[in-house]
Amino acid sequence: MKYPIILLCLVLMQSALGMSTEEARHLQRRTGFHVDSKLTKKFESMTREQAVDFLMSRTRTTPLTPQPKWIEHFEYIYDAAIRMKKGQGQKADIKKIKQRTEQIIALFPNIPKPLVSKLRTAMDDEKKIRRVLNMISNRLLSKSLQAWWLEEMHKTESPLTERMTLFWHNHFATSFKKVKVLPWMYSQNLLLRRHAFGSFKDLLRDVSKDAAMLFYLDSNKNVKGAPNENFAREVMELFTLGEGNYSEKDIKEAARAFTGWNVDRLTGDYVFRHKQHDEGNKTILGQTGKFYGDDVLNIILQNKKTAEFITKKIWKEFVSPELNEAKINAIATTFFESGYEIKTLMREVFISDEFYKSSGQLIKSPVDLLVGTIKEFDIEPVNYLPYAMMAGRLGMELFDPPNVKGWPGGEKWINTSTLLIRKDLMTRLFRVGEKKEKANMMNPMQAMASMSTLDMKAVMKDRTRSQMLEEVLVLKPVSEIEDKKKDIAWARQIVLDPVYQLR
Amino acid sequence: MKRRDFLKTTLSLSALCMLPFPVMALAKEKKILILIELKGGNDGLNTLIPFSDPLYTKLRPSIGIKESEVLKLNSKLGFHPSLKFLHQSFKSNQLAILQGVGYANPNLSHFRSIDIWETATESEEYSDQGWLQQLSSKIGDGKELVKGIIVGDNAFGPFRGATSEVLVMDNPKRFLRKNAKLNLYENKQVLPSLKHILDVENSLSKTIEELRTKTEKVELPEMNDLPQDQVAGMIKALLSVLAAGHHVPVFKISIGGFDTHTEQLNQHARLLSVLDQTFQSLEKGLKQIGVWKESTLLTYSEFGRRPAENGSRGTDHGTANVHFAMGGTVRGGLYGKQPSLSNLDGEGNMKFTTDFKSIYSEVCQKIFKISDAEIVKKNKKLPGFLT
């Protein structure tokens, strides 16, 4: 008689103090890419606040994965090409450019042969260097940069850091296709991670003056007398206030205030060109003065609509597409009053009741699906390139969102084309006795399968099938899961179930 | 319930219902729009050539087409020698030539400019919805297989933003083989995310089943003059879907390689003969299937190319361009105005004379009988190339 009572007391105490198993799993799915049984146990002994503080204490400001090796070579070639164009280069540079080109080629044993010969011959002609650099950037190096980030997402101990960096990448969207200088996309990524959980004020200021952004939104073309409104418009519409909270006049005036902002083509550093700056008075959101660009950002930040806009977007990304206006406004107020501390904002979201009632309301992005699958099933990719290509096929080219609005996301991730690819991919990864053919890099599906090892025995070692099912699927499966199957075939049914697409 | 059983029941039920009521839907014609994307930006000035303009030869000393080689249309304009079939078609009043097509504040980036074309926005606007997706609910008669099929491409292009009712495929047989593992679910989900996924999977299952039953037995018409290019496979795919008796209001196929920055003479000649043969084989195939009368072929491309040749005997990104339309719905002739070579913009590009959105507007009204769409209201002046 005694023991059951003690046991009952223990269970009650536990539930009073700690998170439920479901809550512990939910927190992991939303702040990371998968559910880890050990972490679930840990969270079960913690309150929501403790668990969230634990996650926050682990966030990083730098990546774990080393910088891709070609970046240094790229920078050298780029630098030399720009100098030669300016007439500062010497003929001897051509030889060094060729050496660097060979070093890049050596890094990618899978470069298609025609591309290699194109690269080699083009480096003879200084006029063609930039164009060829763009060509390999588009076709090869961009994929490698995407692979670098996917590796970081996979290996980091703070997946929340990567989720947040990805959120900011989608928010302050820029694309290598316009920016073209890939090292700038890389350094922007470092910037976003550095500020991911810092102050939104700092983030906004720094990302606005970042090379990739200055190029992407034409700040370099915004000069006194001939303003280019691109940045002024998007900073208000998409980065801070949101549509309806400013006028066309505000944009025009702000564009004048931003004149003079430019970028050093050689170093990628922000420069202010006094001669190009419009010194006159500007009236922006009701305030008048001889404003500079930084003043505009400050005026925008003084407006609480900015905190509301960011909070709403965080809600859509981390909680649900259904907006709880009252809760969002309350969190936005806290965020605003904290002076835009991102940690405060995220903490409020992750401890809210609404957050824990939103299981399954989000659809996995291609990155969620890919990184989630390799983490959930301990798949060890030999090479992340085919994963990067696969994300592209599924509609998510990292460093290349479709436009400044970012990826539409949500339900748009799943259409007749991407659903089939997602299913094909799962079938391929969870195939019994998959023959390991040589990877064909032109066929990401085949390359992924042949470069990934799935050891179901190890995956199932410390967990029962029913535990696994609950960890992998956020809701009960909608298809019939037959139990009388070998582990891999059994697991395949789970990853093919529509519920596997949710988180 | 297993998928096949479910389908059997629904099919036989609907068959029973149909019998006593041979409902004739108000005869809405089954129009077919076939879009041909010329990827990379076609050099319109070496496609439709203003051979009598001395500026043409001056701007293009090494890549200009000689007057003696031009297939003349009138005293000023002529076709590139590769366009033999299109030349014939123009003379027999079958081909519509749309001149000077472009838009205000042109963007010279491939990616951004094709976005503008495919979403039908102004140069500074962004939309996640393709222009045909915006009209999707008004396209078709409800009995179509899907609203559109994108052949040989992964992206939805002008249907971007769609989640169902649009398919992408290389060829129908391979598509059917690959996609055998779909389910049909009873979908009473209240959770929007899950409901959406089941909706997409269900609609795909039904479409594939329908495609399968008809397509497996199809014999394609004899095609022996297909272009030597990847587009040949796309043409076959498109024709085999139609030959199976499916109705699909929109197809998109594409020809790649038009970004001719260097040594473009031979390259461009080849590309244009691929384009020429694409029109020829589509006309032949569609006529054999018996759907030429309701078909419209229409080209598009992100931009034209710069009038002045560059230093590598190629051309850089430009603006205004020439486009073609042909089919049972098309009134042959020259439309719009050829842009002037003496009045170029700051980048040395031609100024457009016809907004591409007015072409779309006409397609909406004449082909799909849509009069209340935004694009129609905003673009009232039509080129007039459709009957």
Side-chain angles (χ1 to χ4, degrees):
Chain A
M1 229 6 233
K2 248 185 197 168
Y3 289 115
I5 290 172
I6 293 174
L7 213 66
L8 186 69
C9 287
L10 277 174
V11 168
L12 284 174
M13 269 171 65
Q14 174 77 34
S15 61
L17 282 174
M19 303 172 81
S20 70
T21 311
E22 225 2 87
E23 286 181 345
R25 286 174 178 158
H26 178 71
L27 183 61
Q28 292 178 68
R29 288 190 187 107
R30 294 294 174 85
T31 58
F33 295 98
H34 82 305
V35 172
D36 174 350
S37 324
K38 282 190 215 114
L39 208 50
T40 308
K41 275 232 163 61
K42 190 182 178 85
F43 287 165
E44 281 169 346
S45 69
M46 291 174 152
T47 61
R48 285 177 189 174
E49 287 79 359
Q50 287 169 333
V52 172
D53 287 342
F54 168 78
L55 289 173
M56 294 290 183
S57 71
R58 282 162 42 121
T59 55
R60 300 177 59 92
T61 50
T62 53
L64 202 75
T65 314
Q67 168 175 320
K69 290 203 183 79
W70 50 263
I71 287 197
E72 191 197 319
H73 305 314
F74 185 112
E75 279 173 337
Y76 184 90
I77 299 173
Y78 174 80
D79 191 274
I82 295 276
R83 280 181 201 283
M84 275 196 277
K85 200 178 170 192
K86 286 184 170 177
Q88 301 166 348
Q90 289 145 15
K91 278 286 162 209
D93 287 343
I94 291 275
K95 203 174 151 198
K96 285 188 191 146
I97 287 177
K98 287 185 125 178
Q99 277 172 6
R100 295 289 183 144
T101 309
E102 287 305 322
Q103 279 168 306
I104 291 183
I105 293 172
L107 287 171
F108 299 95
N110 290 312
I111 307 187
K113 287 224 170 66
L115 193 57
V116 171
S117 57
K118 233 180 189 172
L119 253 174
R120 285 190 174 128
T121 51
M123 291 306 172
D124 285 332
D125 181 350
E126 55 184 84
K127 279 189 212 136
K128 288 188 187 162
I129 292 175
R130 279 299 303 282
R131 181 172 298 155
V132 173
L133 220 45
N134 292 344
M135 193 174 71
I136 58 161
S137 296
N138 273 334
R139 292 181 52 180
L140 193 72
L141 304 181
S142 60
K143 301 283 176 288
S144 169
L145 191 60
Q146 296 166 352
W148 166 84
W149 196 2
L150 286 172
E151 181 171 354
E152 179 67 17
M153 293 184 200
H154 179 204
K155 292 186 174 161
T156 178
E157 284 181 7
S158 174
L160 179 55
T161 303
E162 299 314 305
R163 279 212 167 283
M164 212 59 209
T165 309
L166 185 55
F167 173 83
W168 294 123
H169 170 48
N170 187 44
H171 183 74
F172 294 111
T174 59
S175 162
F176 69 82
K177 283 186 181 153
K178 179 160 180 182
V179 175
K180 295 195 172 106
V181 188
L182 282 176
W184 295 352
M185 296 303 294
Y186 171 73
S187 59
Q188 187 186 59
N189 186 269
L190 298 184
L191 185 157
L192 296 175
R193 190 175 290 94
R194 197 158 59 238
H195 289 300
F197 283 96
S199 153
F200 179 73
K201 288 183 186 172
D202 298 343
L203 174 59
L204 176 66
R205 187 195 57 226
D206 285 5
V207 82
S208 300
K209 292 178 179 173
D210 171 65
M213 183 62 79
L214 290 164
F215 258 102
Y216 189 68
L217 291 182
D218 302 319
S219 289
N220 57 328
K221 293 179 185 156
N222 182 26
V223 294
K224 181 182 176 179
N228 181 307
E229 293 170 10
N230 207 357
F231 179 72
R233 178 179 303 279
E234 305 311 355
V235 78
M236 292 192 196
E237 181 185 330
L238 298 170
F239 300 166
T240 59
L241 297 164
E243 241 181 316
N245 296 314
Y246 54 86
S247 67
E248 283 296 311
K249 181 96 193 308
D250 289 325
I251 291 173
K252 284 205 159 48
E253 297 280 285
R256 287 176 50 225
F258 285 119
T259 50
W261 281 28
N262 216 311
V263 60
D264 182 328
R265 291 186 82 89
L266 209 54
T267 59
D269 290 338
Y270 162 83
V271 286
F272 182 73
R273 301 207 201 282
H274 277 280
K275 279 187 185 159
Q276 294 174 351
H277 180 69
D278 182 335
E279 294 283 354
N281 266 326
K282 299 110 190 166
T283 302
I284 298 157
L285 298 167
Q287 301 188 36
T288 305
K290 292 189 178 356
F291 295 133
Y292 286 73
D294 286 299
D295 301 322
V296 181
L297 299 183
N298 286 333
I299 292 171
I300 287 172
L301 286 164
Q302 285 162 20
N303 192 319
K304 204 191 147 198
K305 290 285 177 201
T306 296
E308 286 169 15
F309 184 73
I310 299 296
T311 308
K312 203 178 275 180
K313 207 159 170 188
I314 286 281
W315 191 271
K316 281 190 201 160
E317 175 69 22
F318 286 89
V319 186
S320 168
E322 273 172 54
L323 303 175
N324 181 327
E325 298 287 347
K327 189 69 194 176
I328 290 171
N329 282 336
I331 296 178
T333 304
T334 314
F335 178 43
F336 185 67
E337 284 167 0
S338 75
Y340 288 99
E341 283 307 317
I342 300 166
K343 265 193 180 161
T344 307
L345 163 65
M346 298 314 288
R347 193 173 184 277
E348 290 295 313
V349 170
F350 293 145
I351 62 173
S352 72
D353 287 340
E354 291 78 1
F355 173 70
Y356 290 96
K357 285 178 195 152
S358 64
S359 273
Q361 294 187 18
L362 297 178
I363 290 178
K364 286 180 183 168
S365 73
V367 163
D368 292 331
L369 182 77
L370 293 169
V371 180
T373 303
I374 56 182
K375 293 203 78 160
E376 198 79 69
F377 295 93
D378 282 327
I379 294 171
E380 201 50 61
V382 183
N383 187 328
Y384 291 86
L385 270 177
Y387 285 81
M389 290 190 264
M390 206 59 218
R393 284 264 179 104
L394 290 168
M396 197 177 195
E397 291 260 9
L398 293 172
F399 301 99
D400 180 29
N403 55 50
V404 64
K405 284 160 80 180
W407 289 281
E411 293 186 353
K412 299 291 180 197
W413 286 130
I414 306 275
N415 60 39
T416 53
S417 167
T418 56
L419 183 67
L420 284 175
I421 302 175
R422 285 181 181 219
K423 290 206 170 226
D424 270 1
L425 178 65
M426 290 305 142
T427 314
R428 199 76 196 251
L429 282 177
F430 290 78
R431 192 174 277 175
V432 191
E434 167 81 59
K435 259 191 271 158
K436 294 284 174 227
E437 305 147 348
K438 193 172 175 288
N440 169 10
M441 286 308 221
M442 303 311 282
N443 179 348
M445 187 94 72
Q446 186 270 353
M448 255 186 84
S450 85
M451 292 178 123
S452 311
T453 315
L454 172 63
D455 180 356
M456 277 310 287
K457 261 207 191 98
V459 176
M460 301 299 295
K461 201 169 141 253
D462 293 319
R463 28 183 194 179
T464 61
R465 281 191 172 184
S466 65
Q467 185 188 353
M468 174 112 195
L469 193 69
E470 284 175 12
E471 286 180 355
V472 175
L473 296 186
V474 63
L475 305 168
K476 287 209 161 50
V478 292
S479 62
E480 227 172 279
I481 307 288
E482 282 181 48
D483 217 33
K484 283 183 200 148
K485 289 196 176 211
K486 284 197 176 136
D487 282 344
I488 192 162
W490 175 81
R492 194 195 315 128
Q493 305 175 86
I494 299 179
V495 295
L496 284 174
D497 190 279
V499 172
Y500 188 62
Q501 307 301 335
L502 305 177
R503 46 190 277 266
Chain B
M1 200 189 303
K2 285 260 162 18
R3 173 178 48 128
R4 281 183 190 279
D5 300 340
F6 182 88
L7 272 179
K8 254 187 237 157
T9 347
T10 42
L11 283 178
S12 51
L13 270 177
S14 57
L16 274 176
C17 297
M18 289 297 283
L19 273 177
F21 310 105
V23 184
M24 300 295 278
L26 255 175
K28 196 171 176 184
E29 278 175 292
K30 293 185 169 178
K31 293 282 176 62
I32 304 162
L33 172 67
I34 299 172
L35 294 168
I36 306 164
E37 185 193 352
L38 312 179
K39 290 189 171 207
N42 178 35
D43 183 11
L45 206 55
N46 267 14
T47 304
L48 177 68
I49 301 157
F51 61 85
S52 66
D53 189 340
L55 277 173
Y56 173 74
T57 356
K58 207 173 150 199
L59 288 162
R60 301 192 154 189
S62 62
I63 64 157
I65 307 293
K66 290 190 197 77
E67 186 180 339
S68 58
E69 288 174 28
V70 169
L71 308 174
K72 290 184 180 142
L73 306 171
N74 57 34
S75 60
K76 289 177 182 160
L77 294 167
F79 272 158
H80 185 283
S82 289
L83 300 176
K84 293 187 183 68
F85 172 77
L86 289 182
H87 185 236
Q88 285 302 318
S89 306
F90 179 77
K91 289 209 290 196
S92 59
N93 226 13
Q94 303 288 307
L95 179 76
I97 302 172
L98 304 155
Q99 306 175 93
V101 186
Y103 56 89
N105 303 319
N107 192 300
L108 299 192
S109 145
H110 291 289
F111 315 104
R112 181 61 198 136
S113 198
I114 198 69
D115 282 354
I116 293 166
W117 271 82
E118 292 189 330
T119 55
T121 55
E122 297 298 329
S123 178
E124 303 82 8
E125 282 174 0
Y126 299 93
S127 170
D128 299 325
Q129 291 219 318
W131 70 280
L132 289 166
Q133 179 55 21
Q134 293 162 28
L135 305 165
S136 177
S137 61
K138 295 168 181 160
I139 292 177
D141 57 1
K143 290 185 194 131
E144 63 279 344
L145 178 73
V146 282
K147 303 283 182 190
I149 297 184
I150 311 291
V151 191
D153 206 331
N154 277 321
F156 280 7
F159 276 107
R160 68 184 66 190
T163 55
S164 50
E165 295 198 273
V166 177
L167 299 179
V168 301
M169 64 165 75
D170 295 332
N171 87 54
K173 286 197 173 150
R174 202 183 310 152
F175 182 75
L176 289 175
R177 253 205 316 278
K178 237 172 67 181
N179 304 314
K181 284 201 187 76
L182 290 165
N183 285 309
L184 228 131
Y185 295 97
E186 208 181 337
N187 192 357
K188 287 182 190 152
Q189 286 299 330
V190 279
L191 195 63
S193 54
L194 185 54
K195 183 176 186 308
H196 170 71
I197 293 169
L198 296 187
D199 279 345
V200 174
E201 184 154 352
N202 283 349
S203 85
L204 204 48
S205 306
K206 284 180 203 159
T207 306
I208 286 177
E209 205 53 44
E210 207 180 326
L211 197 61
R212 187 192 311 282
T213 48
K214 285 191 186 170
T215 312
E216 269 168 356
K217 293 164 229 141
V218 168
E219 290 296 321
L220 253 188
E222 190 83 10
M223 304 290 293
N224 41 22
D225 41 11
L226 286 168
Q228 298 275 319
D229 184 88
Q230 284 179 345
V231 75
M234 303 178 207
I235 294 170
K236 279 200 271 187
L238 173 168
L239 291 176
S240 62
V241 172
L242 289 174
H246 297 293
H247 176 52
V248 177
V250 183
F251 287 91
K252 196 205 109 177
I253 60 174
S254 49
I255 306 172
F258 284 91
D259 195 20
T260 50
H261 284 283
T262 49
E263 307 296 340
Q264 80 165 44
L265 264 180
N266 291 337
Q267 220 179 325
H268 196 238
R270 186 194 79 83
L271 288 166
L272 289 184
S273 65
V274 169
L275 176 65
D276 198 58
Q277 286 161 350
T278 298
F279 271 89
Q280 186 169 18
S281 41
L282 279 173
E283 188 202 60
K284 192 172 166 191
L286 294 168
K287 278 185 172 162
Q288 284 188 35
I289 297 169
V291 292
W292 178 250
K293 219 173 63 160
E294 48 269 44
S295 298
T296 313
L297 317 184
L298 179 66
T299 62
Y300 73 103
S301 188
E302 60 263 52
F303 37 58
R305 305 194 79 80
R306 198 155 308 164
E309 66 181 54
N310 64 21
S312 338
R313 287 169 299 278
T315 44
D316 295 325
H317 301 178
T319 49
N321 205 356
V322 59
H323 286 290
F324 299 126
M326 216 172 115
T329 58
V330 171
R331 201 184 319 199
L334 272 162
Y335 296 90
K337 210 176 129 226
Q338 179 69 10
S340 148
L341 287 177
S342 58
N343 181 19
L344 302 176
D345 71 11
E347 312 268 344
N349 278 320
M350 295 184 284
K351 293 179 180 164
F352 79 106
T353 55
T354 301
D355 193 313
F356 74 92
K357 295 185 281 303
S358 70
I359 296 175
Y360 291 176
S361 175
E362 185 163 345
V363 166
C364 283
Q365 297 179 55
K366 296 287 173 57
I367 297 183
F368 298 123
K369 312 290 180 212
I370 302 169
S371 52
D372 55 348
E374 195 77 348
I375 194 162
V376 172
K377 287 178 202 154
K378 282 187 186 161
N379 297 278
K380 295 230 163 83
K381 209 177 145 230
L382 306 180
F385 67 107
L386 295 169
T387 55

